[in-house]
Amino acid sequence: MQPEQANAVPGCETMEELFAALESPLLHYALRLAGELGAAEDCVQDAFMKLQAQFKEVREPRRWLYRTVHNLALNHRRRAGKIVALEVKAGDTSLPANDPADPQLLPDEQIVRSEGIGMVRLSLEMLDERSRELIRLKFNENLSYKEISGRTGLKIGHVGYLLHHALKTMAEELARNGVVP
């Protein structure tokens, strides 16, 4: 183990010690993100399994575990069809007013959350104006493709096509920046 690892989680020099120290806090964190105990348990287990495979290369295992659990839990929510709208206003770099930082989150978890929101906003800003408008109509106003079609004059199929490609572009950008796997 590298000396940096021993300092990353005081008193934790082995996987077993790390597991004993972080399993419970990670489970609570994953539960808040995933919303289901079974999914939270799976996320934590998967994160530790991934860490085990690359333990010698990871310099900050605590941070790495929180980031991995975060990503796994968000992937679960995405697969479950739960979408959280981000209220984005041009030039606004703060957290949304209706989504303040969770006071129960640890400071480093708040930073990870803020960084993730910031990266989503940056990837959204990289899209063309029409794509941003379609995303705003779909996720902020909760409109159906038919309602978006009526507002924009685009055909329903074209709305779906443009939204699909805009979201795919955002996902690729977020993956390149390590926000999502």
Side-chain angles (χ1 to χ4, degrees):
M1 174 176 302
Q2 299 172 348
E4 296 89 9
Q5 282 181 307
N7 294 330
V9 181
C12 296
E13 295 187 23
T14 66
M15 277 295 293
E16 292 80 15
E17 292 170 336
L18 194 62
F19 183 81
L22 294 178
E23 187 232 0
S24 182
L26 283 168
L27 186 56
H28 290 293
Y29 179 60
L31 182 57
R32 283 196 307 262
L33 291 173
E36 302 171 23
L37 181 59
E41 291 170 336
D42 289 345
C43 291
V44 172
Q45 179 181 357
D46 290 349
F48 275 105
M49 296 294 287
K50 289 179 181 193
L51 179 61
Q52 177 68 36
Q54 50 189 316
F55 189 63
K56 291 181 181 179
E57 292 84 32
V58 175
R59 294 182 66 197
E60 298 180 44
R62 181 181 191 279
R63 184 177 190 170
W64 187 96
L65 281 165
Y66 272 95
R67 170 61 76 171
T68 302
V69 166
H70 178 88
N71 291 341
L72 291 168
L74 292 183
N75 285 344
H76 168 76
R77 285 182 56 185
R78 181 177 36 100
R79 282 190 305 272
K82 298 176 182 171
I83 299 173
V84 177
L86 288 176
E87 299 206 16
V88 179
K89 295 184 174 132
D92 184 0
T93 58
S94 64
L95 287 174
N98 66 343
D99 191 22
D102 184 343
Q104 294 179 355
L105 293 177
L106 297 173
D108 60 333
E109 294 168 344
Q110 290 179 2
I111 291 169
V112 168
R113 179 183 173 96
S114 294
E115 286 175 352
I117 290 171
M119 292 304 296
V120 169
R121 288 180 173 175
L122 284 174
S123 66
L124 185 60
E125 288 175 17
M126 293 175 65
L127 297 174
D128 61 276
E129 180 60 37
R130 178 173 65 177
S131 295
R132 286 194 305 267
E133 178 64 10
L134 292 175
I135 288 174
R136 186 187 67 74
L137 292 171
K138 178 65 181 161
F139 297 103
N140 288 13
E141 295 189 27
N142 234 4
L143 299 180
S144 68
Y145 286 9
K146 184 177 181 180
E147 293 167 323
I148 294 171
S149 173
R151 280 210 194 166
T152 62
L154 297 169
K155 293 185 179 182
I156 296 172
H158 195 57
V159 167
Y161 174 83
L162 291 172
L163 276 170
H164 168 78
H165 284 284
L167 295 171
K168 183 177 176 184
T169 300
M170 287 179 66
E172 290 168 353
E173 180 65 23
L174 294 170
R176 265 193 302 277
N177 288 303
V179 177
V180 294

